[in-house]
Amino acid sequence: MPDVGPAVGIVMGSDSDWPVMRQAAEAVAEFGVSFEADVVSAHRMPAEMIEYGSRAAGCGLKVIIAGAGGAAHLPGMLASVTPLPVIGVPVPLKYLDGMDSLLSIVQMPAGVPVATVAVGGARNAGLLAVRILAASDEGLRRRMEEFQVTLRDQAHAKGERLRAEASQLSR
Amino acid sequence: MPDVGPAVGIVMGSDSDWPVMRQAAEAVAEFGVSFEADVVSAHRMPAEMIEYGSRAAGCGLKVIIAGAGGAAHLPGMLASVTPLPVIGVPVPLKYLDGMDSLLSIVQMPAGVPVATVAVGGARNAGLLAVRILAASDEGLRRRMEEFQVTLRDQAHAKGERLRAEASQLSR
Amino acid sequence: MPDVGPAVGIVMGSDSDWPVMRQAAEAVAEFGVSFEADVVSAHRMPAEMIEYGSRAAGCGLKVIIAGAGGAAHLPGMLASVTPLPVIGVPVPLKYLDGMDSLLSIVQMPAGVPVATVAVGGARNAGLLAVRILAASDEGLRRRMEEFQVTLRDQAHAKGERLRAEASQLSR
Amino acid sequence: MPDVGPAVGIVMGSDSDWPVMRQAAEAVAEFGVSFEADVVSAHRMPAEMIEYGSRAAGCGLKVIIAGAGGAAHLPGMLASVTPLPVIGVPVPLKYLDGMDSLLSIVQMPAGVPVATVAVGGARNAGLLAVRILAASDEGLRRRMEEFQVTLRDQAHAKGERLRAEASQLSR
Amino acid sequence: MPDVGPAVGIVMGSDSDWPVMRQAAEAVAEFGVSFEADVVSAHRMPAEMIEYGSRAAGCGLKVIIAGAGGAAHLPGMLASVTPLPVIGVPVPLKYLDGMDSLLSIVQMPAGVPVATVAVGGARNAGLLAVRILAASDEGLRRRMEEFQVTLRDQAHAKGERLRAEASQLSR
Amino acid sequence: MPDVGPAVGIVMGSDSDWPVMRQAAEAVAEFGVSFEADVVSAHRMPAEMIEYGSRAAGCGLKVIIAGAGGAAHLPGMLASVTPLPVIGVPVPLKYLDGMDSLLSIVQMPAGVPVATVAVGGARNAGLLAVRILAASDEGLRRRMEEFQVTLRDQAHAKGERLRAEASQLSR
Amino acid sequence: MPDVGPAVGIVMGSDSDWPVMRQAAEAVAEFGVSFEADVVSAHRMPAEMIEYGSRAAGCGLKVIIAGAGGAAHLPGMLASVTPLPVIGVPVPLKYLDGMDSLLSIVQMPAGVPVATVAVGGARNAGLLAVRILAASDEGLRRRMEEFQVTLRDQAHAKGERLRAEASQLSR
Amino acid sequence: MPDVGPAVGIVMGSDSDWPVMRQAAEAVAEFGVSFEADVVSAHRMPAEMIEYGSRAAGCGLKVIIAGAGGAAHLPGMLASVTPLPVIGVPVPLKYLDGMDSLLSIVQMPAGVPVATVAVGGARNAGLLAVRILAASDEGLRRRMEEFQVTLRDQAHAKGERLRAEASQLSR
C-alpha cells in the first residue's frame, strides 16, 4: 500500500460547501494529520466521483469525509465504491434546515454504511476521522485524549466565569 | 437513434421494491408502451448503474423510472449520467413513512432534475412516463385523454353508489 | 396539432412567485425553447385555470410548469385537465420552509401525476421540461448533453481553486 | 333563495373516504339537519367539481364539508368557487399519517379560507356545520348546548367508573 | 336574542398577537361586519376566558375568532364553553414555525370542533367569519361573491404585467 | 393546609387514556404515595376542570399529573388555575404518533409551566411526582435512591444474560 | 440534610446557553429562592457532571434545572444520578429549531424522568422549580398565587389597550 | 497496548434492543472480527457506563458500537469518555419511528463525534466497524472488497429474476 499521500480525503459537492467543510480540514490539521480537499460532485461529475472513490484506498487514503446538501448522494455513493470508512456531513441548504441532507446521508441501506455526523457538523467529522486513525495509532490516540482534557478545562474556565456572573443575579 | 428497444426503463434498487414498482410497469403496459424492468442498485452495483444510465439514451429509451427507499440515490444518480427525463419513486421503508425516500429524491441540486411522484406512487410514475411520451405522440395523447374520461366515469359511478348509501342515513 | 405557439407554459398562483419561477423561464430560454409565462391562480381564478389547462395541448404546448406555495393546488389541478406532463414547483412561503407546498404538490392520488422538483427548484423545473422535449428531439438532447459537460467542467474549475485554498491549511 | 334542498353538502374525493366521512353525516343527522353526500373528485372530475361548488349556494346549501387525502385539493378548490363556508377534513392515507392531507387543506392562501378540522376528524366537521347553521337558528343552538351538556354528563359517568377502578390500585 | 352587540368576537392570548390578528379585524371590517377585539388569555386569565366564551352567544356574538401560539389552548377552550362556531388562528412563535400552534388548535377531540385556518392566516379567519354570517344573509353573500370577483380581477391584472415582463426573457 | 386527602391527583381527558395513565398510578403506588384518579376533561367539562384545578392545593394535593391526547389542553389549563406543579403526559392518538399531544403540552407560554414527560410516558410522570414530593421528604428520597439501585441491578442482570447469548455468536 | 446551600442548581452545557438560561435564574430570584449556576457539560466534563448530580441532594439542592441543545444529554444524565426532580430546558441551536433538543430531553426511558419545558422556555423552568419548592412551603405557594394574579392583571391591562386600538378599526 | 480482548464492543441500553443490535454482532462475526456484547445503560447504570467507556481503549477495544432508543444518550456519553470511534445506532421505539433516537444520537456538539447510522441500521454499524478496523488492516480491507463484490453479484442475480418476471407483464 503506497502511503505517501494524505491520510484523509475531504470532498464536497460544491465549493459553496467549503465554509462548512473547512472546519473538518482544520480539525484534522490540528492533529497533524495530512489531508487533501477537493470538489467531487456526485451529480455534476459522476464518473470522476466514482473514480475518486475507487482509487482512494489504493492512493493511501484511510478515511474519506464527504459533505453535501439537499438530496445528498456523495457520501453514500463514495461508500459504495470504496472499502474505506466514509464520514458524511449533512450541509444545510436554504430551506428545511438540513433535514433533507441528514436523511439522504444517514438512511443508507444495509451493506453500505456512512458514518454520519450532525447537520453542519464538519468539525466533528474531522475529529471522527482522527479517532478512526487513532484506533491503530497510539500516539494519535494520546493526542485525542489530551484534546479531550483541553475540552474539559475550557468548560471549567467557562463555568468559573459563569458562576461569577450568575452570583450577581442571586443577590 | 436506434429505436428498436423498449421506450421506458423501470429500475429499482432491490427486488424488494418490485411490489411497489410493478404498478409503474402495469400502468405503462396499459397504454401499450414497451418497457424493460431491472434491478440497478446505486449502492451495490455503482459501475453498472452508471453504465445503465450512460447507455440509456443510445439504446432508444425515452424515459427512465427509478424507485428507491431510504437514502434513495438511484434516481438522482441516473439523472446525472443521462439527458433523458428521470422519474423518481420514493419507496417507503419500515420507518419514517417514506419521508427520507421522498427528500432524498426530490431535493436535487440545480442542474440535475428528477421528476418526483408521491411516496409509493409508482402507478403515477408510469402514467407520467406515458404523458411524457405522449407530448410528441398524438395517438398516445388521445389515449391519455380517454383514460382521463374513464377516471371521471368511474368516479361518477362511485358517487352514485355513495348517494344511495348516504340517503339511508339522512332519513 | 397547431405548433406555432410556445412549447412550455410557465404559470404560477401569484406574481409574488415570479422571483422563484423566473429561473424556470431562464433555464428554458438558455436552450432556445419557446415559452409563455402567466399568473393562473387555482384559487382566485379557478374557471380560467381550468380553461388554461384544458386548452394547453390544443394550443401546442408540450409541457406545463406550475409553481405554487402553501396549500399548492395549481399543479395538480392543471394535471387533472390536461394530458400533458405537468411539472410542479413547491414555492416556499414565510413559514414551514415549503414543506406544505411540497406535500401539497407531490402527494397526488393515483391517476393524475405531477412531476415534482425540489422546494424552490424552479431552475430544475425548466431543465426537466427541456429533457422532456429532448426525449423526441435529438438536437435538443445533444444540447442537454453538452450542458451536462459544462456542469462537469465548472465543478472541475471549482475543485482546482479549492485544492489551492485547502493546501494552505494543510501546511 | 330556494331552500328546499339539503342544508349541508358532504363530498369526498373517493368512496374510499366514506368510512371516515360518514361520521360527518351521522353528526349532522343527529341534529336533524338535512344533508346530501356525494363523490366529487377534484382530480378525476374537475369540471363537475367546479360546477358542484358554483351551484351549491344557489341550490340552498348553507355549508359544504369536503374530505380528501394526500395532495388534498377538494376543499380549497370548492372554497374558490362558492361563497359558502367550506369545512375541510384531512383524510389520512397509508403513509405520512395525514400530515400531507392536513397541510394541503389548512395552508390556504389569503382570500380563500377553508375551515379545517383534525386529521380524520369528520365527526367534528359535522358538528362544526351544525354550529354554523345554529349561528342564525336559535333552536338549533339550544340543541347544541344540550349536546354539550350530554358530553359533560358522559364524561362524569366515565369519571365515576374510573375512580372506582383506580381506588383498587391505591389500596 | 339581544342583537345589539357586535357579530364577531376577535380574541387573542396576548397583545403580541395583534399584528397578526388585526388582519382578521380588517377583513371583517371590509365587509361592514361589526366586531370587538380583546385579550383573553386561556393561561393568564382562565376564569375570564371561560366567562367570555359562556356569555358570547347571549351577548349576540355569532362567531368567535381566537388566535394563539405555541401550546395554543384558547380556541379549543372557548369552543368548549360556547355553541358558536369558533375559528382558530395558529400564531407562529419564534421557533417551530407555528407547527406547534397549528397542531394544538386543529387536533381537537371529537365533540368540540375548531375551524382552523393557516399558520398566521388571520385574514382568512376574518373572511371565514364573513362566509359563516353570509350563510344566512343573502346581502352579505353577494358581497362575498363580489369580493371573489375582485380577487380574480386582481390576479388577471398581475398576469398581464407578468406576461409583459416574461416576454422580455423569451426573446 | 389540610393534609388528609391524597398527595397526587391523576386526571385525564377520557377513560380511554386510562391504559396509559394507570402506569402513573402504579408508579406512585409503588412508593406508598396516596393518589386519586379521575376523568377531568378540559373540553367536555371545562367548568369542573377549572374547579378541580382551583381547589387542588386547598384539598391537600401536592402534585397533579394530567394526561391528554391530540390538542391536549388539560395539563396547561390546570397549571393556569393552580400554583401546584403540574406534570403533563402526552397520550398518543391513532395518527401523528403523539407529536401533536407533545407539542400541545410542552410548548406553554412563559408564566405557566407544565412539566412534560415522554409520549406515553405515564410511568415517568408517576416517578417525577415522587421525586417532587421527595424533595422535602427524606424518607421518600431514600426510597427513590433504592429504586435507582434496583434499576441498575436489573440492568446488570440483563447484561449477564445478554453476554451469554452473544458469546454464542462470537464463536 | 444540610440545608445551607442554594435550593436550585441551574446548569448548562456551555456558557453560550446562558442568554437563554439566565431567564430561569431571574425567575427563581424573583421569588427570593436561592440558586447557583454553573457550566456542567455532559460531553466535555462527564466525570464532573456525574459528580455534580451525585452530590446535589447531599449539598441541599432541592431541584436541578439543566439546559442543553442538540443531542442534549445533560438533563437526562443528571436525572440518572440524583433522586431530585430535574427540569430540562431544550435550548435551540442554529438548525432544526430546537426539535432535536426537545426530543433528546423529553423522550426519556421509563425509570428516569426529566420534567421538560418548552423550547427556549427557561423562564418556565424557573417557575416550575418554584412550584416544586412551593409544594411543601405554604409561603412560597402564596407568592406563586400572587404571581398568577399579577399575570392576570397584566393581561387585563393589555386587553384594555387593545380594545381601544381595535375600536379605531371597527368604525 | 494489550490486544488480547475483543476488537469491537457492542453495547445497548437494554436487552430489548438486542433483536436490532445482534445484526451488528452478526456483521462483525461474518468478517471474523472478535467482539463482546453487553447491556450498558446510560440512565440505569451511569457509573458503570462511564467506567466501560473510560476503560475501553485500555482493554484493547478499537471501536465501540452503541445502540439506544428515544432520548438516546449512550453513544454520545461513551464518546465523551473514550478516544475510540463510537458508532451510534438509533433504535426505533413504539412512537415517532426512531426520529427521536436519531436526533439524540447524531446531533452531537462540536468536540465529541458519534458516527451515526440509519434508524435500526445495526448491520451497517457492524460493517462500519469492520471498515474502520480495515483502514489499518489490509487483509480485512480485501475481505470488505470481496464482500462488496458479493453484494453486487447478489443484486445481479435479483435483477435476472426480476427481468424474467417483468417480461411477463410487458407482453
Side-chain angles (χ1 to χ4, degrees), chain B residues 20 89-90 117-126:
Chain B
V20 168
V89 182
V117 295
V119 173
R123 182 166 173 78
N124 269 358

Side-chain angles (χ1 to χ4, degrees), chain G residues 86-169:
Chain G
V86 175
I87 301 171
V89 182
V91 177
L93 301 189
K94 193 175 170 192
Y95 307 114
L96 301 181
D97 254 14
M99 186 52 88
D100 49 355
S101 319
L102 171 58
L103 293 176
S104 306
I105 291 175
V106 79
Q107 288 294 95
M108 288 292 289
V112 187
V114 169
T116 309
V117 296
V119 173
R123 181 165 174 80
N124 269 357
L127 295 172
L128 180 57
V130 173
R131 286 186 180 222
I132 288 172
L133 295 170
S136 62
D137 176 339
E138 225 172 320
L140 196 55
R141 208 174 69 206
R142 257 197 303 275
R143 258 172 294 167
M144 178 53 74
E145 286 167 340
E146 289 161 15
F147 169 78
Q148 292 177 300
V149 171
T150 312
L151 284 182
R152 190 198 62 197
D153 292 348
Q154 291 171 340
H156 274 202
K158 288 175 177 177
E160 206 157 332
R161 285 194 299 273
L162 180 60
R163 283 193 299 275
E165 187 175 344
S167 69
Q168 306 297 320
L169 276 180

Side-chain angles (χ1 to χ4, degrees), chain B residues 20 92 96-99 102 119-120 148 151-153 155-156 158-163 165-167 169-171, chain D residues 10 12-16 18 22 25-26 29 34-39 41 43-46 48 94-97:
Chain B
V20 168
L96 300 180
D97 255 14
M99 187 52 89
L102 171 58
V119 173
Q148 292 177 300
L151 284 181
R152 188 198 63 196
D153 292 348
H156 274 200
K158 288 175 178 177
E160 207 157 331
R161 285 195 299 274
L162 180 60
R163 283 193 298 275
E165 189 175 343
S167 69
L169 276 179
S170 61
R171 275 172 201 174
Chain D
I10 302 175
M12 61 215 79
S14 167
D15 58 352
S16 64
W18 179 240
R22 70 173 293 151
E26 289 166 352
S34 60
F35 71 92
E36 63 180 29
D38 210 342
V39 169
S41 169
H43 298 123
R44 281 179 278 259
M45 36 194 272
E48 290 85 344
K94 193 174 170 193
Y95 306 115
L96 300 181
D97 255 14

Side-chain angles (χ1 to χ4, degrees), chain C residues 15-68:
Chain C
D15 58 352
S16 63
D17 299 330
W18 180 239
V20 169
M21 294 305 293
R22 71 172 293 149
Q23 302 173 50
E26 290 165 351
V28 165
E30 287 175 31
F31 283 83
V33 171
S34 60
F35 72 93
E36 63 180 29
D38 209 342
V39 169
V40 177
S41 168
H43 299 122
R44 282 180 278 260
M45 38 193 270
E48 289 84 346
M49 180 269 290
I50 296 286
E51 197 190 331
Y52 183 91
S54 304
R55 294 179 52 179
C59 294
L61 285 173
K62 298 273 182 61
V63 185
I64 296 175
I65 297 174

